[in-house]
Amino acid sequence: VKAWSFIDKVGLANLQEVERPMPKAGIGQVVMRMKAVALNYRDLAIARGHYHVGVEAPLVPLADGIGEVVAIGNGITRLAIGDLACPTYMPGWIDGPVTPRKALRRLGGPNDGTATEYFVAHEDELVIAPKSLTAAEAATLPIAAVTAWHSLFEKASVPPGSTVLVNGSGGVSTAAIQLARAAGARVIAVTRRAAHAEGLHIAGAHHVVVYADADWTIEVRRLARDGVDTVVDVAAGPGIAQLLSVLLPGGDLHLIGYAAGTAAEFDMFDAIRRAITIHFGSGGSRSSFEALVRAIDVNTIKPIIGRRLPIADLVAGYALLAAGGQVGKIVLEFAD
Amino acid sequence: VKAWSFIDKVGLANLQEVERPMPKAGIGQVVMRMKAVALNYRDLAIARGHYHVGVEAPLVPLADGIGEVVAIGNGITRLAIGDLACPTYMPGWIDGPVTPRKALRRLGGPNDGTATEYFVAHEDELVIAPKSLTAAEAATLPIAAVTAWHSLFEKASVPPGSTVLVNGSGGVSTAAIQLARAAGARVIAVTRRAAHAEGLHIAGAHHVVVYADADWTIEVRRLARDGVDTVVDVAAGPGIAQLLSVLLPGGDLHLIGYAAGTAAEFDMFDAIRRAITIHFGSGGSRSSFEALVRAIDVNTIKPIIGRRLPIADLVAGYALLAAGGQVGKIVLEFAD
Amino acid sequence: VKAWSFIDKVGLANLQEVERPMPKAGIGQVVMRMKAVALNYRDLAIARGHYHVGVEAPLVPLADGIGEVVAIGNGITRLAIGDLACPTYMPGWIDGPVTPRKALRRLGGPNDGTATEYFVAHEDELVIAPKSLTAAEAATLPIAAVTAWHSLFEKASVPPGSTVLVNGSGGVSTAAIQLARAAGARVIAVTRRAAHAEGLHIAGAHHVVVYADADWTIEVRRLARDGVDTVVDVAAGPGIAQLLSVLLPGGDLHLIGYAAGTAAEFDMFDAIRRAITIHFGSGGSRSSFEALVRAIDVNTIKPIIGRRLPIADLVAGYALLAAGGQVGKIVLEFAD
Amino acid sequence: VKAWSFIDKVGLANLQEVERPMPKAGIGQVVMRMKAVALNYRDLAIARGHYHVGVEAPLVPLADGIGEVVAIGNGITRLAIGDLACPTYMPGWIDGPVTPRKALRRLGGPNDGTATEYFVAHEDELVIAPKSLTAAEAATLPIAAVTAWHSLFEKASVPPGSTVLVNGSGGVSTAAIQLARAAGARVIAVTRRAAHAEGLHIAGAHHVVVYADADWTIEVRRLARDGVDTVVDVAAGPGIAQLLSVLLPGGDLHLIGYAAGTAAEFDMFDAIRRAITIHFGSGGSRSSFEALVRAIDVNTIKPIIGRRLPIADLVAGYALLAAGGQVGKIVLEFAD
């Protein structure tokens, strides 16, 4: 069966289609025929060699995806042949808060990921996809939407009527907009690209503020009166100081991406005076994913897909992600 | 100015219109001309003499209401002439968890309440009404909606996609339905009266189950698959056992009323095995009320009014509440 | 190898020593030679036939215990030969909040328990015992101390300086006293038996109040000034009303036993007015158990053992538990 | 009466003894004759002009202190003549989470502080001192110990057996060591100065690690096995990267001081991968202070006083604080 793999060395130049043996379902395992996978910024960082934690070739990339169960081993109780299911990004994190042991394995690096025609996993490491979504939509959930869910509702909370500011227009950002809106929050989206404003409104933002030469924080403060309760940021980098400046005293900043750089550059005196909490993190448990599935089905949330490509165009997908021209996720589909 | 008061002895027979001097705004105080007030089950219990905690005549009843600020004392910073504001049911409870000291004063008994043409209060004991509501709608908020808010979002939480079962069709119940729905939950309403089903659907319930000879818990379990995450109950009494039986292990039961009796009659062994938490309580802080106001404005939640009467029909209002024939709140309006 | 089992029918008259084949360690499993086991009230309720949830003969009773790892299967990563480890009461509950699926299996009924010379389990269902305890002491932990831990520190919290009232003198009660004391709380123990006062002081209670004809709640209120923050109760039954009466508004009642009866008999009106939360429950996750182990080692907490008997006297142990004459746990030891 | 005040311009050179009229107790107010005050790093930052948020001369510095109530106005219910009480650092923060409005007023800048023979305040802005402390000990509590309390027990939690690392040897650090120890945690203190090790042990640290050329994080990781659950840091500056590196995944970093600089300089990628939460903040509510008082009395915690001076040596006290040669707080006493 076909898979995509970094050969010899991790890097886009070495990402090739390879032939591998058909996997078998051991005790407690299931085999899925993959229907779609999706890209995350993390996949790009790994492919560029910017992610130096135990990631080595050969490696099958990607963590997002969905497949149809085509074979089951002995002792399977949670799934059946024909079910559509998604893998979990950190397969060892079933429930509760993260621990070193739970965070060890990660799909797409250091462990083999979802860019493969057939994917085998223990049944405990899979989640049945939301009934209300297409396969392509559900393929986008494992990293971005689970991260947004875990941050907004499990690390902190988003009571109805609170104000959530979301930075960016990628998969985590659009998932955060949709989930915060479903929870009854007032949602302000901030983006560098005027072309993304319409997409962010469609995702559910009440207000979209486009960066310009002028200080965007003035407009946010006008919209939010005193300030915002919660910020979801995927960029990190030098913009943090501005994000902190629009938070209310006691507010929460979720820092779940580093697209603009990893160096923290902000003044801690102001953060102390205003009693800010910064929640760093990425991913969530299988239990978080299952709660997300319920939220999607009850609120008919449709993940935003920016581009759909055949899996054969995987390398082109990475380039699109790097260019950042779309709102939402880039999905790569397998032929039926 | 006119007020309504229990003369000599608390009891509906002694509830009379009385003349009282026009109140003055002392330092930090404001005077409001009341526009509307609303009834709670608690008011009925007090009028019937079923509430024996320091409640004595003479007493101006009721805690719900809204007024227009017509005079302000020195040092006022939170309100201005012309503002529409609601009193807080427990004026001493500004913020944080309840304490004996904060819970001491309660409008409508033991302290004088809102059934008066002019109401004077310290500005710290008032909340500016939601901009998106009419005066009659906002008058319903201080007890029922604040109680529902504090229970659902501050004592526990209601993540999007969780299932909330609400029992009853009075003011707390319809507020709980609306708020849980705004928070993205799946909402099941349960009622004894088939005639209330439509009103509960309008309030936002996804499903309405009408009690019948058959066991209603079977239908709830069918709708909720395994069970529900959260129950909001205003009846107490013998029905608790059934409510507990539809809760998932680890579920939350909010017990915020006692319309069907105050004796706890259920089997604790089952509650222990299933790790249920019962949150008893009523009311919330001014800070809870302010958060509720934001939720109402952001989500354009319109409180359900079952009946509107002129304030002169106050005694008739109590009778309607006792009969329980309407969905939502009974509002009594003052002439302009 | 020897085990003890209810033959034909659950009941003390049918509890016999039986011979069973030596267990083998399958993939991921370990075999322990048991060194000690301990009794819980639950074991007594099961033996008396008062626990009707899927418990059927033949059944090896008990859930508490400790053993030495004597054989390991393939793939073991958490344990090694020679380790002293305790089983977990609900083996499926590894982490996070309880769910129906996690609560399915329970040692000592419906699943075979620890009253056996050799016990086999998946390594995920075992916890390495605290280094600071003897085997007999560690044998007492799986139900009573884990329940006390989960209730006090995971369902609610016990900040230093808060007041905790503990009812009873059995294993849960003494563990709750020790843990609350280690957390810096002020601890008041309440007991029916004057003879237990000294033992409860030794466990760490600052004050011991002995029930008498007079109302013990008066003395508790005198000691605690306004009231107590937290109550841990193992009796349930008619005493709940008194326990509720000494709780501060907003206080927590942990109801984790039913020695005095399972019918809830208290007035809900008062619980509503005072915003009480009742946490029902029993047991905790493996993760809770591991946190408990750290707390024991850091604070050198020594579980209170009321009686030590050889395992051959198992039936006599049940009788001692029923009589309730000791403070702390009844431990049954295996010969070396 | 005498007071100390920055004349014309904030700065140590302008700190002078001044004569002011004896304050009177208005409605709801009390006058205290001050017995002792204490210094915080914040006072030094203000005196050096490093704190540019609305702080202007003339200004009476300091926020810590204790006084004896010598006069009361009308309507006082919480205090009596002769009571020993401490002011609250942010007088508007009575309860609940911080808000812009609650954080507006701060003693010692922008509002007049405690360096005065007679201090007048609303009774709601005072806390009765712990019975178990001397006046000098209680004078140290309002900023440092309240900050440590609010951080450890209200923003996050410190279950018994968890590991807490505390950086520094000033007032916040020694309070954090004492409180974490009282809560049953394992406490590791880290200091640059070998001479402080003994004092930190006396405060209650299980282990003291002294910085040296070698990487201190190696020793901390050896002591804590995998890492620590909680870090309390008062230095900020470039050391944050090392503090983050010893935290367990999911761990909490409380950043409540900036003695080593205010620029955040750490790698966010690692913080994201390890799901760290950083809680910035300072101070706590009156309700936090009252809970702290209970914890102190129950656990007989004695605040660590590094130096005691007469109030006339106030300027010398600032110099001692800047030099950092002592463990614990610098207290300035008034003559009886």
Side-chain angles (χ1 to χ4, degrees), chain C residues 213-247:
Chain C
D213 297 335
D215 184 353
W216 61 265
T217 63
I218 294 167
E219 174 66 2
V220 166
R221 255 187 302 246
R222 193 187 62 77
L223 291 167
R225 277 169 217 117
D226 298 321
V228 307
D229 300 283
T230 302
V231 167
V232 177
D233 180 44
V234 296
I240 290 183
Q242 284 175 301
L243 294 171
L244 286 171
S245 77
V246 297
L247 269 172

Side-chain angles (χ1 to χ4, degrees), chain A residues 27 77-78 95-97 101-102 123-124, chain C residues 27 77-78 95-97 101-102 123-124:
Chain A
I27 296 171
T77 62
R78 300 179 66 246
D95 201 348
R101 192 181 170 94
K102 293 176 184 175
E123 67 161 345
D124 284 347
Chain C
I27 297 170
T77 62
R78 300 179 65 248
D95 202 348
R101 192 180 169 95
K102 293 175 184 177
E123 67 161 345
D124 285 346

Side-chain angles (χ1 to χ4, degrees), chain B residues 241-289:
Chain B
Q242 284 176 301
L243 294 171
L244 285 171
S245 78
V246 299
L247 269 172
L248 285 166
D252 291 293
L253 169 58
H254 295 282
L255 228 158
I256 51 189
Y258 44 91
T262 63
E265 296 173 31
F266 59 93
D267 186 75
M268 294 200 278
F269 175 69
D270 189 48
I272 290 174
R273 268 195 96 253
R274 292 168 55 241
I276 302 304
T277 301
I278 306 185
H279 306 268
F280 296 91
S282 176
S285 68
R286 189 192 81 197
S287 166
S288 306
F289 196 165

Side-chain angles (χ1 to χ4, degrees), chain A residues 159-217:
Chain A
S162 61
T163 302
V164 177
L165 182 141
V166 179
N167 192 20
S169 46
V172 177
S173 302
T174 51
I177 291 169
Q178 294 182 306
L179 292 171
R181 180 71 188 250
R186 190 155 58 120
V187 182
I188 302 173
V190 177
T191 178
R192 276 178 303 137
R193 303 177 187 244
H196 289 182
E198 192 190 343
L200 297 171
H201 272 302
I202 290 169
H206 291 85
H207 310 283
V208 178
V209 177
V210 180
Y211 285 37
D213 298 335
D215 184 351
W216 61 265
T217 63

Side-chain angles (χ1 to χ4, degrees), chain C residues 55-326:
Chain C
V55 174
E56 284 177 19
L59 175 73
V60 176
L62 309 194
D64 281 357
I66 188 170
E68 182 183 341
V69 175
V70 292
I72 63 174
N74 285 326
I76 296 299
T77 62
R78 300 179 65 248
L79 292 154
I81 299 280
D83 280 348
L84 289 177
C86 300
T88 47
Y89 160 45
M90 292 189 240
W93 190 2
I94 300 297
D95 202 348
V98 72
T99 64
R101 192 180 169 95
K102 293 175 184 177
L104 224 53
R105 291 162 53 217
R106 299 184 187 223
L107 299 191
N111 300 91
D112 277 348
T114 55
T116 175
E117 285 184 326
Y118 289 87
F119 182 84
V120 64
H122 193 279
E123 67 161 345
D124 285 346
E125 303 170 356
L126 299 172
V127 170
I128 293 185
K131 303 298 181 210
S132 56
L133 298 189
T134 64
E137 288 166 344
T140 66
L141 302 175
I143 289 191
V146 171
T147 295
W149 175 270
H150 180 52
S151 298
L152 290 172
F153 304 114
E154 295 177 342
K155 294 186 158 193
S157 65
V158 179
S162 62
T163 302
V164 177
L165 182 141
V166 179
N167 192 21
S169 45
V172 177
S173 301
T174 51
I177 291 169
Q178 293 182 307
L179 291 170
R181 180 70 189 250
R186 190 154 58 119
V187 182
I188 301 173
V190 177
T191 177
R192 275 178 303 136
R193 302 177 190 244
H196 289 182
E198 192 190 342
L200 297 171
H201 272 301
I202 291 170
H206 291 85
H207 310 282
V208 179
V209 177
V210 180
Y211 284 38
D213 297 335
D215 184 353
W216 61 265
T217 63
I218 294 167
E219 174 66 2
V220 166
R221 255 187 302 246
R222 193 187 62 77
L223 291 167
R225 277 169 217 117
D226 298 321
V228 307
D229 300 283
T230 302
V231 167
V232 177
D233 180 44
V234 296
I240 290 183
Q242 284 175 301
L243 294 171
L244 286 171
S245 77
V246 297
L247 269 172
L248 286 166
D252 291 292
L253 169 59
H254 295 282
L255 227 159
I256 52 189
Y258 45 90
T262 63
E265 296 172 32
F266 59 93
D267 185 75
M268 293 198 280
F269 174 69
D270 188 49
I272 289 174
R273 267 194 100 254
R274 290 167 58 239
I276 302 303
T277 301
I278 306 185
H279 307 268
F280 296 90
S282 176
S285 69
R286 190 192 80 199
S287 166
S288 305
F289 197 164
E290 291 166 335
L292 167 70
V293 167
R294 284 190 292 274
I296 286 172
D297 278 341
V298 169
N299 295 284
T300 43
I301 295 169
K302 294 286 190 180
I304 309 293
I305 297 178
R307 287 294 293 268
R308 300 167 74 139
L309 304 167
I311 183 69
D313 292 348
L314 175 56
V315 173
Y318 278 96
L320 286 168
L321 180 63
Q326 53 284 312

Side-chain angles (χ1 to χ4, degrees), chain D:
Chain D
V1 307
K2 276 192 255 178
W4 285 257
S5 181
F6 295 114
I7 307 295
D8 300 331
K9 189 165 173 304
V10 171
L12 277 185
N14 302 302
L15 182 53
Q16 296 180 19
E17 196 180 304
V18 297
E19 194 68 22
R20 306 213 304 181
M22 180 71 184
K24 289 209 171 64
I27 296 171
Q29 290 185 321
V30 312
V31 174
M32 300 197 300
R33 190 168 62 82
M34 296 305 289
K35 299 182 80 75
V37 295
L39 284 164
N40 285 285
Y41 184 79
R42 176 180 192 273
D43 301 314
L44 187 62
I46 287 173
R48 286 171 165 170
H50 294 166
Y51 197 100
H52 306 286
V53 190
V55 174
E56 285 176 19
L59 175 72
V60 176
L62 308 195
D64 281 356
I66 187 170
E68 183 182 340
V69 175
V70 293
I72 63 174
N74 285 326
I76 296 299
T77 63
R78 300 180 64 246
L79 292 153
I81 300 279
D83 280 348
L84 289 176
C86 299
T88 48
Y89 160 45
M90 291 190 241
W93 189 2
I94 300 297
D95 201 348
V98 72
T99 65
R101 191 180 170 93
K102 294 176 184 176
L104 225 52
R105 291 162 53 218
R106 299 182 188 225
L107 299 190
N111 301 91
D112 277 347
T114 55
T116 176
E117 285 184 326
Y118 289 86
F119 182 85
V120 64
H122 192 279
E123 66 161 346
D124 285 346
E125 304 171 354
L126 299 172
V127 170
I128 293 185
K131 304 296 180 211
S132 56
L133 298 189
T134 64
E137 288 166 343
T140 67
L141 301 175
I143 288 192
V146 172
T147 295
W149 175 271
H150 181 51
S151 298
L152 290 172
F153 304 115
E154 295 177 343
K155 293 186 159 192
S157 65
V158 179
S162 62
T163 301
V164 177
L165 182 140
V166 178
N167 193 20
S169 45
V172 177
S173 302
T174 51
I177 290 169
Q178 293 182 306
L179 290 171
R181 181 69 187 251
R186 190 154 59 119
V187 181
I188 302 174
V190 177
T191 178
R192 277 178 303 137
R193 303 177 188 243
H196 289 181
E198 191 189 343
L200 297 171
H201 272 302
I202 290 169
H206 292 85
H207 310 283
V208 179
V209 177
V210 179
Y211 285 38
D213 298 337
D215 184 352
W216 62 266
T217 63
I218 294 167
E219 174 66 1
V220 166
R221 255 187 303 247
R222 193 187 61 75
L223 291 168
R225 279 171 214 112
D226 299 321
V228 307
D229 300 283
T230 302
V231 168
V232 177
D233 181 44
V234 296
I240 290 184
Q242 284 176 301
L243 294 171
L244 285 171
S245 78
V246 299
L247 269 172
L248 286 165
D252 291 292
L253 169 58
H254 295 282
L255 228 158
I256 52 190
Y258 45 90
T262 63
E265 296 173 31
F266 59 92
D267 186 75
M268 294 199 280
F269 175 69
D270 189 48
I272 289 173
R273 267 195 98 253
R274 292 166 56 241
I276 302 302
T277 302
I278 306 185
H279 307 268
F280 296 92
S282 177
S285 68
R286 190 191 80 197
S287 166
S288 305
F289 197 165
E290 292 166 333
L292 167 70
V293 167
R294 284 190 291 274
I296 286 171
D297 277 341
V298 170
N299 295 283
T300 44
I301 294 169
K302 293 287 188 181
I304 309 294
I305 297 178
R307 287 294 293 268
R308 300 166 75 136
L309 303 167
I311 182 70
D313 292 347
L314 175 57
V315 173
Y318 277 96
L320 286 168
L321 181 63
Q326 51 285 313
V327 175
K329 299 282 293 185
I330 298 170
V331 173
L332 301 139
E333 296 175 287
F334 291 78
D336 272 335

